[in-house]
Amino acid sequence: MTSLFRLAGLVLVLALGMSYCARAGKLTPAGVWVGGLLGVLIFLGSGFAGLALLGLFFVLGSAASAWKVADKRRLGLAEANKGRRTAGQVLANAGVAGLLGLLAWQWPPQAPLLGLMIAGSFAAATADTLSSELGNVYGRRYYHLLTLKPARRGPNGVVSLEGTLLGGVGSALIAGAYGVAAGWGPAGWWLLLAGTAGNLVDSVLGATFERRGQLTNNGVNFLNTLTGALTAGALALLVR
């Protein structure tokens, strides 16, 4: 009976989320179905706690993208396609979490570690989204990450102190949600570091390979979330 209730809850949550994303124009039709599939994989590995992290990332990212969007459009910094995310973008931001969910489902003894890594991937994705979307609004001085020379806001690899701090807030929110579900402990600090590491790697890759056309933005975002997941997992293993 418990399994039936969990299945019904999963179907209800995914149906509501996918319907909202389609009706509100948050995702393309393909993005809606890819998001639903990844939601199933995350649920299989980490239950409703994993789905909650996915939902929190989506809400924070959507809110940050929509915040002062008129100003971003005026400055040429708004997301293309009116912020409507494609299947590729969904995979770039949540594909690592989906793969980890599948691994956790097939490898139950390691599910707690893999669940932490799922949270690490979302900490990195949230940090990147908030730092770029809100940093372009609230940043005062912008610098090229590698040269530290002043730069105009917007291009890949350009960062601001305000944006970096806001990215840290995003990681902290994911860490807090993870703590509510899994219990409070040092994992919160690991996730904060994981999000920061992923965000840093994202900026470095953006300043180098993406600017040269050797990596797409989706590729950079995927590596960002992979860095967050691996950092969280490595920190957990180091203190065992």
Side-chain angles (χ1 to χ4, degrees):
M1 187 63 70
T2 301
S3 297
L4 288 176
F5 279 125
R6 284 172 59 83
L7 178 60
L10 171 63
V11 171
L12 177 61
V13 169
L14 289 182
L16 290 174
M18 293 168 68
S19 176
Y20 168 76
C21 290
R23 289 178 176 274
K26 299 296 183 181
L27 301 175
T28 63
V32 170
W33 289 106
V34 170
L37 174 61
L38 291 176
V40 171
L41 294 178
I42 291 168
F43 174 83
L44 289 174
S46 58
F48 288 108
L51 278 185
L53 293 178
L54 172 62
L56 180 59
F57 159 67
F58 179 78
V59 169
L60 291 173
S62 297
S65 297
W67 186 252
K68 296 197 173 182
V69 69
D71 293 338
K72 294 175 188 174
R73 286 175 181 156
R74 177 172 52 82
L75 295 168
L77 300 172
E79 287 192 2
N81 202 24
K82 297 183 179 180
R84 199 180 187 204
R85 287 169 170 77
T86 64
Q89 289 173 307
V90 173
L91 279 170
N93 286 298
V96 167
L99 288 172
L100 291 169
L102 180 60
L103 283 174
W105 179 45
Q106 294 296 315
W107 198 10
Q110 297 301 321
L113 174 62
L114 293 167
L116 174 66
M117 294 175 69
I118 288 173
S121 74
F122 283 128
T126 306
D128 170 48
T129 303
L130 267 61
S131 64
S132 59
E133 291 289 346
L134 299 181
N136 281 332
V137 173
Y138 294 108
R140 296 185 178 183
R141 295 182 178 86
Y142 298 87
Y143 302 91
H144 189 286
L145 179 64
L146 299 182
T147 66
L148 298 183
K149 292 181 179 179
R152 65 181 179 86
R153 62 181 161 187
N156 299 316
V158 173
V159 300
S160 67
L161 174 61
E162 293 81 5
T164 302
L165 292 175
L166 287 165
V169 171
S171 295
L173 290 172
I174 294 293
Y178 178 84
V180 170
W184 301 101
W189 296 107
W190 303 339
L191 291 175
L192 188 59
L193 290 172
T196 302
N199 198 18
L200 177 62
V201 166
D202 185 284
S203 296
V204 170
L205 293 176
T208 53
F209 294 104
E210 189 176 0
R211 281 200 181 197
R212 298 170 192 155
Q214 296 168 328
L215 265 180
T216 65
N217 182 253
N218 286 346
V220 170
N221 286 339
F222 183 86
L223 292 173
N224 160 39
T225 59
L226 181 61
T227 299
L230 293 176
T231 300
L235 290 170
L237 291 173
L238 282 173
V239 300
R240 275 189 174 180

